[in-house]
């Protein structure tokens, strides 16, 4: 089967998930064509993987370069030249409408193929439901040959916010347990926490929705009672805000801003606790990846997080903004070695339920069903 994957190539969860999916499919013998504006960050070489770059040449008239038009044209080009069987777009805006556009163009030449849209989060909960985009998002989701959402919560939110006329399949995000497994990195841990301090970590794109200031305030409360260090991984608009807050709270000597990191699993292998105090989170892929390395999670109870992080077992969940509660929960886990080990073991056990070996076949099944249904529908129309 030949599949086109369209995603954001950045460190964001939707791009990471799409890239991991494409790589896993290529290992299973599928031919996978990535169509993005940059090489996806986690994309490794594999003989079955192809990368097609979407260029948007500048033109003096374009204050806003028409990326969606360039993307749809690239889709037409790649589908035609490589006889793809299916297009799978991740994050609705603007990928679903570009896919619809490409499919309409191809139909004229009798070359049409189905497309699947995977909804990831803010394409529904924040940006998508804004009236700036809502009509196009609603139309292009409905025109998709199948729709998937990464959690039950996101599925419900989609039905609440848009007039959706077909079913939405929930296919949860996954993790490669083999790659994110626990390995002994004691020497590395000693370099960052030379006196046996606990290590807390946060990974995100430092957008408002991640509430990175809450991360810093939770850390402050923890460090007041337990010697500890904080690793801040990623980059984005609120990074400076977080750095400034660390400085004003005199935490700068115990906090490291590591920027964007590719081998996140190595960092998780020296981490004792993961902090994710998001305003909204449809799933929380970074939390799952931490759990796969045996790291418990302190998170909010927003969106799909309760589907991943189990209260009192793999970590704790608090109301958005309840820094006190999150701090007390963090201290509870970190203050006792045995308790920490119990939470670590439970986090790993829970992550195994989302192993890629279990989840990828769900996508494969959907691909086959969509291609078959599309062929029957086409035959009937002819
Ligand atoms: O929706 C976004 O904010 C972007 C997206 C991304 O590319 O980072 O994140 C979403 O998709 C991830 C992968 O499915 C989920 O794990 C994140 O929870 C989700 N982010 C939000 O809902 C804020």
């Amino acid at each position: 089967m030949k599949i086109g994957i369209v995603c954001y190539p950045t460190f964001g969860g939707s791009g990471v998930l799409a890239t991991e999916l494409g790589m896993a499919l290529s290992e299973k013998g599928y031919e996978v064509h990535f169509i993005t504006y940059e090489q996806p960050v986690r994309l490794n070489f594999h003989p079955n993987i192809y990368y097609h770059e979407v260029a948007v040449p500048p033109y003096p008239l374009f204050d806003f370069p028409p990326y969606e038009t360039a993307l749809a044209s690239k889709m037409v080009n790649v589908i035609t030249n490589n006889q793809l069987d299916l297009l799978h777009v991740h994050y609705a805006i603007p990928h679903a409408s570009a896919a619809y556009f490409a499919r309409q163009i191809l139909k004229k030449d009798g070359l049409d193929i189905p497309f699947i849209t995977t909804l990831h989060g803010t394409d529904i909960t924040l940006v998508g439901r804004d009236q700036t985009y809502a009509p196009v998002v609603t139309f292009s989701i409905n025109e998709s040959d199948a729709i998937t959402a990464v959690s039950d919560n996101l599925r419900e939110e989609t039905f609440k916010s848009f007039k959706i006329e077909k079913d939405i399949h929930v296919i949860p995000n996954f993790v490669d347990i083999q790659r994110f497994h626990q390995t002994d990195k004691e020497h590395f841990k000693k370099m960052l926490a030379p006196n046996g301090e606990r290590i807390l970590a946060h990974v995100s794109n430092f957008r408002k929705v991640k509430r990175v200031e809450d991360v810093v305030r939770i850390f402050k409360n923890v460090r007041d009672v337990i010697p500890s260090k904080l690793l801040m991984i990623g980059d984005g608009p609120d990074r400076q805000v977080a750095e400034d807050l660390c400085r004003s709270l005199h935490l700068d000597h115990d906090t490291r801003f590591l920027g964007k990191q590719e081998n996140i699993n190595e960092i998780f292998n020296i981490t004792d606790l993961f902090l994710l105090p998001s305003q909204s989170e449809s799933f929380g892929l970074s939390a799952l990846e931490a759990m796969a390395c045996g790291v418990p999670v302190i998170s909010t109870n927003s969106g799909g997080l309760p589907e991943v992080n189990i209260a009192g077992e793999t970590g704790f969940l608090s109301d958005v903004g309840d820094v006190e509660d999150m701090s007390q929960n963090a201290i509870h886990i970190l203050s006792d070695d045995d308790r920490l080990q119990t939470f670590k073991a439970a986090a790993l056990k829970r992550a195994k339920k989302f192993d890629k070996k279990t989840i990828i076949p769900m996508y494969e099944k959907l691909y086959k069903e969509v291609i078959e249904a599309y062929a029957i529908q086409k035959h009937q129309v002819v």
Side-chain angles (χ1 to χ4, degrees):
M1 196 188 291
K2 295 181 181 185
I3 301 155
I5 291 188
V6 180
C7 63
Y8 283 101
T10 54
F11 278 90
S14 62
V16 165
L17 195 280
T19 308
E20 295 282 356
L21 173 62
M23 291 196 300
L25 292 170
S26 73
E27 278 157 22
K28 289 186 128 186
Y30 292 77
E31 188 175 301
V32 180
H33 293 256
F34 281 90
I35 308 171
T36 60
Y37 61 80
E38 245 172 39
Q39 171 121 354
V41 282
R42 282 207 193 161
L43 189 61
N44 296 327
F45 171 75
H46 188 284
N48 288 341
I49 288 183
Y50 297 79
Y51 163 61
H52 308 273
E53 192 160 299
V54 183
V56 193
Y59 184 70
L61 191 66
F62 296 159
D63 279 344
F64 304 99
Y67 176 66
E68 194 175 341
T69 308
L71 174 61
S73 298
K74 195 70 177 183
M75 287 171 172
V76 169
N77 176 289
V78 173
I79 292 164
T80 311
N81 292 331
N82 300 281
Q83 291 85 45
L84 302 191
D85 298 302
L86 177 86
L87 199 56
H88 186 178
V89 305
H90 292 259
Y91 202 91
I93 309 169
H95 302 149
S97 45
Y100 168 74
F101 199 2
R103 195 182 62 189
Q104 293 307 100
I105 294 168
L106 288 162
K107 259 188 187 156
K108 290 251 175 213
D109 297 332
L111 231 184
D112 56 329
I113 65 163
F115 76 92
I116 295 176
T117 299
T118 290
L119 309 171
H120 278 273
T122 52
D123 46 350
I124 297 302
T125 57
L126 222 69
V127 195
R129 63 166 68 131
D130 189 295
Q131 275 313 305
T132 317
Y133 302 109
V136 173
V137 172
T138 312
F139 176 81
S140 53
I141 291 176
N142 278 323
E143 282 295 327
S144 308
D145 297 284
I147 313 159
T148 78
V150 299
S151 63
D152 289 330
N153 174 267
L154 186 61
R155 178 179 185 273
E156 282 161 30
E157 288 298 319
T158 310
F159 281 122
K160 264 192 238 159
S161 304
F162 301 92
K163 226 168 154 246
I164 299 299
E165 293 153 359
K166 49 178 72 160
D167 196 13
I168 299 176
H169 306 259
V170 175
I171 302 186
N173 285 336
F174 60 85
V175 64
D176 182 349
I177 290 283
Q178 292 215 311
R179 184 149 50 84
F180 279 80
H181 66 304
Q182 284 173 288
T183 52
D184 184 15
K185 292 269 180 239
E186 265 320 298
H187 58 291
F188 180 28
K189 189 166 189 173
K190 270 226 146 54
M191 285 160 64
L192 289 162
N195 303 309
E197 295 91 340
R198 300 288 197 206
I199 296 187
L200 291 82
H202 170 75
V203 179
S204 77
N205 38 25
F206 287 66
R207 285 174 296 158
K208 273 264 156 304
V209 72
K210 301 292 176 179
R211 296 184 67 97
V212 288
E213 286 170 90
D214 286 0
V215 173
V216 175
R217 291 186 196 284
I218 295 166
F219 176 63
K220 159 98 175 77
N221 292 341
V222 171
R223 202 206 56 165
D224 282 350
V225 283
I226 300 173
S228 40
K229 302 278 182 187
L230 174 65
L231 303 179
M232 298 287 269
I233 300 127
D235 208 347
D238 280 358
R239 176 179 166 159
Q240 195 56 51
V241 177
E243 286 202 48
D244 291 347
L245 185 61
C246 279
R247 204 154 296 123
S248 67
L249 294 175
H250 309 292
L251 299 171
D252 35 337
H253 294 300
D254 288 321
T255 309
R256 294 276 282 268
F257 284 80
L258 302 179
K260 293 174 181 170
Q261 294 289 326
E262 280 183 34
N263 294 322
I264 200 76
N265 47 326
E266 297 195 353
I267 298 172
F268 286 149
N269 275 302
I270 61 159
T271 299
D272 295 303
L273 193 65
F274 186 70
L275 304 178
L276 195 62
S278 309
Q279 175 82 37
S280 132
E281 201 71 69
S282 69
F283 183 90
L285 182 60
S286 55
L288 176 62
E289 292 186 336
M291 286 163 63
C293 294
V295 182
V297 174
I298 293 294
S299 71
T300 54
N301 50 20
S302 73
L305 282 169
E307 295 171 46
V308 183
N309 186 17
I310 308 300
E313 202 178 295
T314 64
F316 287 101
L317 302 96
S318 309
D319 291 340
V320 174
D322 195 343
V323 168
E324 265 320 302
D325 195 50
M326 288 186 264
S327 307
Q328 288 317 312
N329 290 334
I331 292 165
H332 175 72
I333 293 178
L334 292 174
S335 56
D336 182 281
D337 276 336
D338 289 345
R339 192 181 297 135
L340 177 59
Q341 289 314 318
T342 306
F343 272 88
K344 277 178 176 261
L348 176 58
K349 189 170 168 222
R350 174 86 188 138
K352 284 182 179 165
K353 292 202 183 323
F354 298 89
D355 187 9
K356 72 171 186 177
K357 288 200 183 103
T358 310
I359 310 296
I360 303 281
M362 295 166 88
Y363 278 114
E364 290 179 87
K365 183 169 173 284
L366 183 65
Y367 289 174
K368 283 184 193 127
E369 284 169 5
V370 167
I371 290 172
E372 275 168 28
Y374 199 70
I376 293 169
Q377 185 193 325
K378 240 170 79 176
H379 187 72
Q380 284 167 350
V381 172
V382 173

